[in-house]
């Protein structure tokens, strides 16, 4: 009889435990299942978003091409770039679209629009290389606008080592615009040296040095 009472007590204890904990236990299982389903759904959504962004960006690249576009195509390409930025703002494709939009804006003589697109890439700061590339292009825009000092300031920081040769090249251009010939020569020589070390093509720098030498010879 003692064993029977013990078994009965165990059953009753189990019933009481289930009555007290069933709701929380079921809720916990439901939350766990929902978490797994939610995570999988989120991952699927992210994958779909990345695929959509990639396809839209490829469409933009195909539309923009590499040469000058007709006005209608320029406007269509810039509109598509803005769509990518709006719909996929937190993705790498948004920064790539902004870089391409800056080039398209320059083709339309919209330098303010180009600066705004490049500055957005710099401010996002999602990847070391792209903000550095945006800084280089922004510095070139400043040079084209006659603001060599601002170009030099832009190049002071935020340029990765992979773009060091290009930074030195643009610095040389800025110094040359300010008629600081010795500094321009040093910067261009540094650019050639860095490009050689990294086995990177860097076109036009030797010609700039030759031209600088010829200019000095005529002084």
């Amino acid at each position: 009889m003692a064993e029977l009472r013990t078994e009965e007590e165990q059953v009753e204890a189990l019933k009481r435990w289930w009555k007290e904990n069933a709701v929380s236990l079921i809720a916990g299982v439901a939350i766990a299942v929902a978490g797994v389903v939610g995570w999988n759904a989120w991952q699927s959504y992210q994958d779909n978003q990345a695929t959509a962004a990639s396809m839209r960006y490829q469409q933009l690249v195909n539309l923009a091409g590499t040469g000058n576009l007709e006005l209608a195509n320029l406007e269509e390409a810039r509109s598509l770039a803005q769509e990518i930025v709006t719909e996929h703002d937190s993705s790498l494709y948004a920064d790539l679209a902004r870089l391409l939009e800056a080039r398209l804006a320059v083709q339309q003589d919209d330098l303010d629009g180009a600066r705004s697109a490049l500055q957005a890439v710099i401010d996002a700061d999602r990847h070391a290389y792209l903000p550095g590339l945006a800084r280089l292009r922004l510095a070139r825009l400043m040079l084209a606008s006659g603001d060599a000092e601002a170009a030099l300031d832009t190049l002071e920081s935020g340029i990765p080592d992979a773009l060091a040769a290009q930074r030195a090249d643009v610095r040389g251009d800025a110094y040359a615009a300010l008629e600081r010939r010795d500094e321009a020569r040093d910067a261009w020589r540094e650019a050639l040296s860095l490009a050689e070390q990294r086995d990177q093509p860097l076109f036009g720098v030797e010609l700039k040095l030759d031209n600088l030498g010829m200019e000095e010879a005529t002084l």
Side-chain angles (χ1 to χ4, degrees):
M1 293 293 292
E3 292 179 359
L4 181 60
R5 284 197 302 272
T6 300
E7 291 177 0
E8 289 174 350
E9 289 171 356
Q10 289 175 353
V11 170
E12 287 300 319
L14 182 59
K15 287 180 180 179
R16 285 196 303 273
W17 181 89
W18 178 256
K19 184 177 180 180
E20 294 170 359
N21 296 281
V23 174
S24 59
L25 180 62
I26 293 171
V29 171
I31 291 171
V33 171
V36 172
V37 172
W39 173 254
N40 289 338
W42 173 249
Q43 287 292 95
S44 177
Y45 171 78
Q46 290 289 84
D47 291 342
N48 290 338
Q49 286 292 95
T51 300
S54 174
M55 292 176 64
R56 296 293 275 170
Y57 179 71
Q58 188 58 53
Q59 183 182 351
L60 174 60
V61 170
N62 292 339
L63 179 61
T66 56
N68 293 326
L69 303 178
E70 298 294 333
L71 179 59
N73 288 338
L74 271 171
E75 292 177 350
E76 182 182 356
R78 290 189 69 182
S79 176
L80 179 55
Q82 281 299 314
E83 286 180 22
I84 294 170
V85 168
T86 300
E87 296 173 8
H88 308 282
D89 184 51
S90 62
S91 73
L92 181 65
Y93 291 103
D95 290 340
L96 293 171
R98 286 186 176 107
L99 289 174
L100 192 47
E101 184 191 3
R103 177 170 70 80
L104 297 170
V106 170
Q107 290 184 34
Q108 286 188 302
D109 293 323
D110 180 12
L111 298 187
D112 287 340
R115 288 191 192 95
S116 178
L118 293 172
Q119 190 63 53
V121 178
I122 294 169
D123 293 340
D125 197 22
R126 276 187 282 263
H127 186 280
Y129 185 84
L130 292 185
L133 185 59
R135 283 182 178 276
L136 282 175
R137 294 183 181 180
L138 183 58
R140 289 192 178 103
L141 274 181
M142 291 170 172
L143 275 174
S145 301
D147 197 348
E149 291 287 1
L152 288 172
D153 290 341
T154 300
L155 297 171
E156 277 300 309
S157 62
I159 309 291
D161 289 343
L163 294 169
Q166 290 82 354
R167 175 178 58 185
D169 182 18
V170 180
R171 271 182 174 162
D173 294 344
Y175 288 136
L178 294 169
E179 297 188 357
R180 292 158 61 175
R181 290 181 172 82
D182 289 342
E183 289 166 289
R185 182 187 298 104
D186 290 343
W188 285 331
R189 285 175 175 169
E190 179 187 6
L192 287 175
S193 176
L194 289 169
E196 183 178 358
Q197 291 173 22
R198 292 169 170 77
D199 195 22
Q200 295 175 338
L202 196 62
F203 304 106
V205 179
E206 290 183 356
L207 181 59
K208 293 175 188 178
L209 285 168
D210 291 342
N211 289 338
L212 183 60
M214 287 187 288
E215 287 177 10
E216 292 181 341
T218 60
L219 293 178

Tab-separated table of all heavy atoms in Angstrom, residues 118-151:
chain	number	residue	atom	x	y	z
A	118	LEU	N	28.738	61.458	-53.237
A	118	LEU	CA	30.021	60.996	-52.709
A	118	LEU	C	30.100	61.175	-51.196
A	118	LEU	O	30.612	60.312	-50.484
A	118	LEU	CB	31.162	61.750	-53.394
A	118	LEU	CG	31.344	61.465	-54.891
A	118	LEU	CD1	32.361	62.410	-55.497
A	118	LEU	CD2	31.762	60.010	-55.121
A	119	GLN	N	29.581	62.294	-50.714
A	119	GLN	CA	29.613	62.537	-49.275
A	119	GLN	C	28.763	61.510	-48.530
A	119	GLN	O	29.095	61.104	-47.410
A	119	GLN	CB	29.113	63.953	-48.964
A	119	GLN	CG	29.334	64.385	-47.517
A	119	GLN	CD	30.809	64.439	-47.147
A	119	GLN	OE1	31.605	65.078	-47.831
A	119	GLN	NE2	31.175	63.783	-46.056
A	120	ALA	N	27.675	61.070	-49.155
A	120	ALA	CA	26.819	60.055	-48.526
A	120	ALA	C	27.576	58.742	-48.354
A	120	ALA	O	27.408	58.045	-47.345
A	120	ALA	CB	25.560	59.841	-49.363
A	121	VAL	N	28.403	58.391	-49.331
A	121	VAL	CA	29.213	57.173	-49.213
A	121	VAL	C	30.221	57.328	-48.080
A	121	VAL	O	30.439	56.404	-47.290
A	121	VAL	CB	29.947	56.870	-50.540
A	121	VAL	CG1	30.827	55.634	-50.394
A	121	VAL	CG2	28.944	56.650	-51.664
A	122	ILE	N	30.834	58.502	-47.998
A	122	ILE	CA	31.816	58.760	-46.938
A	122	ILE	C	31.151	58.684	-45.568
A	122	ILE	O	31.667	58.066	-44.634
A	122	ILE	CB	32.479	60.137	-47.148
A	122	ILE	CG1	33.309	60.133	-48.437
A	122	ILE	CG2	33.345	60.509	-45.945
A	122	ILE	CD1	33.776	61.507	-48.875
A	123	ASP	N	29.976	59.299	-45.445
A	123	ASP	CA	29.278	59.335	-44.157
A	123	ASP	C	28.789	57.953	-43.735
A	123	ASP	O	28.775	57.632	-42.547
A	123	ASP	CB	28.097	60.311	-44.224
A	123	ASP	CG	28.549	61.758	-44.379
A	123	ASP	OD1	29.724	62.043	-44.064
A	123	ASP	OD2	27.731	62.586	-44.815
A	124	ALA	N	28.370	57.137	-44.713
A	124	ALA	CA	27.882	55.790	-44.379
A	124	ALA	C	28.997	54.952	-43.762
A	124	ALA	O	28.767	54.199	-42.812
A	124	ALA	CB	27.327	55.108	-45.624
A	125	ASP	N	30.207	55.070	-44.322
A	125	ASP	CA	31.403	54.434	-43.755
A	125	ASP	C	31.177	52.953	-43.453
A	125	ASP	O	31.498	52.460	-42.375
A	125	ASP	CB	31.823	55.167	-42.477
A	125	ASP	CG	33.261	54.833	-42.076
A	125	ASP	OD1	34.024	54.415	-42.959
A	125	ASP	OD2	33.599	54.990	-40.892
A	126	ARG	N	30.629	52.235	-44.451
A	126	ARG	CA	30.344	50.818	-44.243
A	126	ARG	C	31.507	49.924	-44.632
A	126	ARG	O	31.549	48.759	-44.259
A	126	ARG	CB	29.098	50.419	-45.053
A	126	ARG	CG	27.798	50.720	-44.350
A	126	ARG	CD	26.637	50.158	-45.131
A	126	ARG	NE	26.296	50.978	-46.267
A	126	ARG	CZ	25.333	51.882	-46.274
A	126	ARG	NH1	24.611	52.073	-45.192
A	126	ARG	NH2	25.068	52.603	-47.346
A	127	HIS	N	32.416	50.444	-45.416
A	127	HIS	CA	33.509	49.614	-45.922
A	127	HIS	C	34.692	50.538	-46.136
A	127	HIS	O	34.547	51.637	-46.660
A	127	HIS	CB	33.087	48.947	-47.234
A	127	HIS	CG	34.071	47.959	-47.757
A	127	HIS	ND1	35.194	48.336	-48.448
A	127	HIS	CD2	34.107	46.606	-47.700
A	127	HIS	CE1	35.886	47.264	-48.806
A	127	HIS	NE2	35.243	46.197	-48.354
A	128	ALA	N	35.868	50.122	-45.729
A	128	ALA	CA	37.034	51.010	-45.773
A	128	ALA	C	37.346	51.487	-47.187
A	128	ALA	O	37.730	52.638	-47.391
A	128	ALA	CB	38.252	50.300	-45.175
A	129	TYR	N	37.176	50.614	-48.166
A	129	TYR	CA	37.605	50.939	-49.522
A	129	TYR	C	36.680	51.963	-50.181
A	129	TYR	O	37.152	52.944	-50.766
A	129	TYR	CB	37.668	49.669	-50.375
A	129	TYR	CG	38.225	49.910	-51.757
A	129	TYR	CD1	39.600	49.918	-51.980
A	129	TYR	CD2	37.380	50.131	-52.834
A	129	TYR	CE1	40.118	50.148	-53.244
A	129	TYR	CE2	37.888	50.359	-54.100
A	129	TYR	CZ	39.252	50.360	-54.304
A	129	TYR	OH	39.751	50.592	-55.563
A	130	LEU	N	35.369	51.748	-50.129
A	130	LEU	CA	34.450	52.615	-50.854
A	130	LEU	C	34.448	54.060	-50.346
A	130	LEU	O	34.462	54.990	-51.161
A	130	LEU	CB	33.037	52.029	-50.829
A	130	LEU	CG	32.846	50.731	-51.622
A	130	LEU	CD1	31.385	50.319	-51.614
A	130	LEU	CD2	33.348	50.875	-53.055
A	131	PRO	N	34.429	54.308	-49.019
A	131	PRO	CA	34.546	55.700	-48.583
A	131	PRO	C	35.864	56.337	-49.023
A	131	PRO	O	35.904	57.526	-49.356
A	131	PRO	CB	34.468	55.596	-47.053
A	131	PRO	CG	33.727	54.344	-46.804
A	131	PRO	CD	34.155	53.409	-47.887
A	132	GLY	N	36.942	55.555	-49.032
A	132	GLY	CA	38.221	56.083	-49.515
A	132	GLY	C	38.152	56.455	-50.988
A	132	GLY	O	38.662	57.496	-51.409
A	133	LEU	N	37.524	55.600	-51.780
A	133	LEU	CA	37.348	55.889	-53.204
A	133	LEU	C	36.486	57.130	-53.391
A	133	LEU	O	36.772	57.969	-54.259
A	133	LEU	CB	36.704	54.686	-53.887
A	133	LEU	CG	36.552	54.747	-55.410
A	133	LEU	CD1	37.904	54.917	-56.093
A	133	LEU	CD2	35.847	53.491	-55.918
A	134	ALA	N	35.453	57.256	-52.567
A	134	ALA	CA	34.593	58.444	-52.642
A	134	ALA	C	35.383	59.706	-52.292
A	134	ALA	O	35.190	60.764	-52.907
A	134	ALA	CB	33.405	58.280	-51.693
A	135	ARG	N	36.289	59.606	-51.309
A	135	ARG	CA	37.117	60.761	-50.953
A	135	ARG	C	38.020	61.178	-52.120
A	135	ARG	O	38.191	62.376	-52.401
A	135	ARG	CB	37.976	60.444	-49.730
A	135	ARG	CG	37.227	60.481	-48.417
A	135	ARG	CD	38.132	60.217	-47.228
A	135	ARG	NE	37.404	60.295	-45.988
A	135	ARG	CZ	37.152	61.426	-45.341
A	135	ARG	NH1	37.601	62.580	-45.829
A	135	ARG	NH2	36.473	61.410	-44.213
A	136	LEU	N	38.606	60.203	-52.792
A	136	LEU	CA	39.445	60.516	-53.956
A	136	LEU	C	38.644	61.250	-55.030
A	136	LEU	O	39.097	62.250	-55.590
A	136	LEU	CB	40.029	59.233	-54.542
A	136	LEU	CG	41.221	58.604	-53.824
A	136	LEU	CD1	41.581	57.283	-54.484
A	136	LEU	CD2	42.426	59.546	-53.855
A	137	ARG	N	37.461	60.728	-55.321
A	137	ARG	CA	36.636	61.346	-56.368
A	137	ARG	C	36.129	62.722	-55.940
A	137	ARG	O	36.023	63.633	-56.764
A	137	ARG	CB	35.470	60.418	-56.712
A	137	ARG	CG	35.941	59.118	-57.347
A	137	ARG	CD	34.801	58.217	-57.768
A	137	ARG	NE	35.319	56.987	-58.355
A	137	ARG	CZ	34.552	56.010	-58.814
A	137	ARG	NH1	33.224	56.128	-58.772
A	137	ARG	NH2	35.092	54.923	-59.334
A	138	LEU	N	35.831	62.858	-54.650
A	138	LEU	CA	35.404	64.162	-54.150
A	138	LEU	C	36.545	65.165	-54.252
A	138	LEU	O	36.333	66.334	-54.623
A	138	LEU	CB	34.934	64.035	-52.703
A	138	LEU	CG	34.389	65.305	-52.045
A	138	LEU	CD1	33.208	65.859	-52.832
A	138	LEU	CD2	33.984	65.018	-50.592
A	139	ALA	N	37.757	64.733	-53.939
A	139	ALA	CA	38.921	65.615	-54.060
A	139	ALA	C	39.118	66.062	-55.507
A	139	ALA	O	39.437	67.223	-55.780
A	139	ALA	CB	40.170	64.913	-53.540
A	140	ARG	N	38.924	65.145	-56.454
A	140	ARG	CA	39.056	65.507	-57.867
A	140	ARG	C	37.985	66.519	-58.274
A	140	ARG	O	38.245	67.426	-59.075
A	140	ARG	CB	38.970	64.250	-58.738
A	140	ARG	CG	40.195	63.340	-58.620
A	140	ARG	CD	40.189	62.267	-59.700
A	140	ARG	NE	41.383	61.427	-59.624
A	140	ARG	CZ	41.414	60.211	-59.130
A	140	ARG	NH1	40.300	59.661	-58.651
A	140	ARG	NH2	42.538	59.507	-59.108
A	141	LEU	N	36.774	66.343	-57.739
A	141	LEU	CA	35.719	67.317	-58.016
A	141	LEU	C	36.085	68.691	-57.477
A	141	LEU	O	35.847	69.716	-58.130
A	141	LEU	CB	34.401	66.865	-57.374
A	141	LEU	CG	33.514	65.905	-58.163
A	141	LEU	CD1	32.249	65.602	-57.371
A	141	LEU	CD2	33.140	66.497	-59.516
A	142	MET	N	36.656	68.713	-56.281
A	142	MET	CA	37.069	69.992	-55.695
A	142	MET	C	38.149	70.646	-56.531
A	142	MET	O	38.149	71.871	-56.723
A	142	MET	CB	37.553	69.763	-54.263
A	142	MET	CG	36.447	69.373	-53.304
A	142	MET	SD	37.094	68.845	-51.693
A	142	MET	CE	35.562	68.696	-50.763
A	143	LEU	N	39.073	69.838	-57.040
A	143	LEU	CA	40.104	70.374	-57.930
A	143	LEU	C	39.490	70.959	-59.188
A	143	LEU	O	39.877	72.038	-59.648
A	143	LEU	CB	41.092	69.268	-58.309
A	143	LEU	CG	42.243	69.006	-57.349
A	143	LEU	CD1	43.028	67.782	-57.792
A	143	LEU	CD2	43.161	70.225	-57.288
A	144	ALA	N	38.531	70.243	-59.761
A	144	ALA	CA	37.874	70.721	-60.975
A	144	ALA	C	37.118	72.016	-60.722
A	144	ALA	O	36.942	72.824	-61.641
A	144	ALA	CB	36.915	69.657	-61.495
A	145	SER	N	36.696	72.211	-59.465
A	145	SER	CA	35.981	73.438	-59.105
A	145	SER	C	36.930	74.551	-58.676
A	145	SER	O	36.487	75.640	-58.301
A	145	SER	CB	34.993	73.146	-57.974
A	145	SER	OG	34.067	72.158	-58.361
A	146	GLY	N	38.246	74.262	-58.706
A	146	GLY	CA	39.237	75.276	-58.359
A	146	GLY	C	39.541	75.386	-56.885
A	146	GLY	O	40.132	76.385	-56.455
A	147	ASP	N	39.140	74.393	-56.091
A	147	ASP	CA	39.373	74.457	-54.650
A	147	ASP	C	40.414	73.401	-54.259
A	147	ASP	O	40.093	72.366	-53.664
A	147	ASP	CB	38.073	74.237	-53.890
A	147	ASP	CG	38.155	74.698	-52.438
A	147	ASP	OD1	39.287	74.966	-51.970
A	147	ASP	OD2	37.113	74.770	-51.771
A	148	ALA	N	41.677	73.694	-54.588
A	148	ALA	CA	42.747	72.730	-54.330
A	148	ALA	C	43.002	72.519	-52.843
A	148	ALA	O	43.336	71.410	-52.418
A	148	ALA	CB	44.030	73.189	-55.022
A	149	GLU	N	42.848	73.561	-52.057
A	149	GLU	CA	43.065	73.426	-50.607
A	149	GLU	C	42.053	72.466	-49.998
A	149	GLU	O	42.405	71.622	-49.157
A	149	GLU	CB	42.965	74.799	-49.929
A	149	GLU	CG	44.101	75.757	-50.262
A	149	GLU	CD	45.411	75.369	-49.571
A	149	GLU	OE1	45.435	74.351	-48.847
A	149	GLU	OE2	46.403	76.094	-49.766
A	150	ALA	N	40.792	72.580	-50.405
A	150	ALA	CA	39.766	71.665	-49.906
A	150	ALA	C	40.058	70.233	-50.344
A	150	ALA	O	39.811	69.280	-49.596
A	150	ALA	CB	38.379	72.095	-50.395
A	151	ALA	N	40.602	70.091	-51.544
A	151	ALA	CA	40.969	68.757	-52.034
A	151	ALA	C	42.034	68.136	-51.134
A	151	ALA	O	41.955	66.958	-50.771
A	151	ALA	CB	41.458	68.842	-53.470
